[in-house]
Amino acid sequence: MNTLNISINYEAYKSLSELHESDRSLCLQAEEALKSSYSPYSHFKVGTAIRLANGNTILGSNQENVAYPSGLCAERVALFTIGATFPGIDIESMAVTAHTNNFNISQPITSCGACLQVMAEFEQRQKKEIEVLFYCLNGQVLKLKGIKSLLPFVFIEDRLSD
């Protein structure tokens, strides 16, 4: 038996003001995406902004449904929009943020496993890592490169695509 260790590298910023202008702008666009969240059940709004290699930015917000599994997270709303309207255009970076009036969110929220798996599929297709920023409104920002940092045992099976 071998005991192995996985570690990740990421950057932590105290606030948006420490970020490069392009990253700051992406985080603010994710914050803007919160306005279109449909979250009458959880009251937990999530917004994402994704910058593409062609210069376009796509926004997504969580869309709930009374039949809970039928809703969709903000990240997948934006990613599937990109797949349908900008096929073949690489994703450079994305920002994710959240807000609720029910409690104080004091640290950045991260994407769920299903969203990470979809993000990994996009990385696989474009053969290039995606930079991700997790932004806490009026607070800390975490920045990392590559979905495998968050989902180290991502499901990838190249033989299925042949």
Side-chain angles (χ1 to χ4, degrees):
M1 182 204 57
N2 292 324
T3 300
L4 305 173
N5 182 42
I6 296 174
S7 64
I8 65 167
N9 294 317
Y10 64 96
E11 299 170 4
Y13 299 87
K14 291 180 184 175
S15 70
L16 285 181
S17 64
E18 295 182 2
L19 294 175
H20 184 274
E21 174 58 37
S22 62
D23 288 342
R24 184 170 42 248
S25 174
L26 198 62
C27 287
L28 292 174
Q29 288 175 301
E31 187 174 341
E32 187 67 23
L34 292 170
K35 294 178 182 176
S36 65
S37 169
Y38 180 71
S39 47
Y41 309 104
S42 71
H43 305 286
F44 192 82
K45 297 174 181 286
V46 180
T48 190
I50 301 178
R51 185 174 44 245
L52 301 176
N54 67 2
N56 286 328
T57 300
I58 305 303
L59 303 183
S61 61
N62 58 321
Q63 302 296 311
E64 294 181 350
N65 188 283
V66 70
Y68 281 100
S70 300
L72 202 57
C73 300
E75 298 93 325
R76 284 182 283 157
V77 167
L79 289 164
F80 293 150
T81 297
I82 291 164
T85 58
F86 294 99
I89 305 297
D90 285 354
I91 295 171
E92 291 183 345
S93 59
M94 62 188 295
V96 181
T97 194
H99 173 75
T100 183
N101 289 327
N102 293 344
F103 53 87
N104 180 43
I105 300 173
S106 60
Q107 58 187 0
I109 60 117
T110 57
S111 301
C112 73
C115 288
L116 292 174
Q117 184 63 48
V118 172
M119 292 157 72
E121 181 85 11
F122 273 83
E123 281 188 347
Q124 180 79 358
R125 284 168 42 182
Q126 69 185 31
K127 296 177 180 30
K128 179 178 152 189
E129 292 180 321
I130 298 170
E131 184 177 84
V132 183
L133 298 120
F134 296 112
Y135 162 47
C136 182
L137 297 179
N138 303 309
Q140 187 181 33
V141 180
L142 303 178
K143 182 178 179 179
L144 56 97
K145 190 152 184 106
I147 305 313
K148 284 188 178 180
S149 295
L150 294 163
L151 191 63
F153 294 106
V154 63
F155 177 73
I156 302 274
E157 180 48 75
D158 294 331
R159 295 172 294 179
L160 290 174
S161 62
D162 292 338

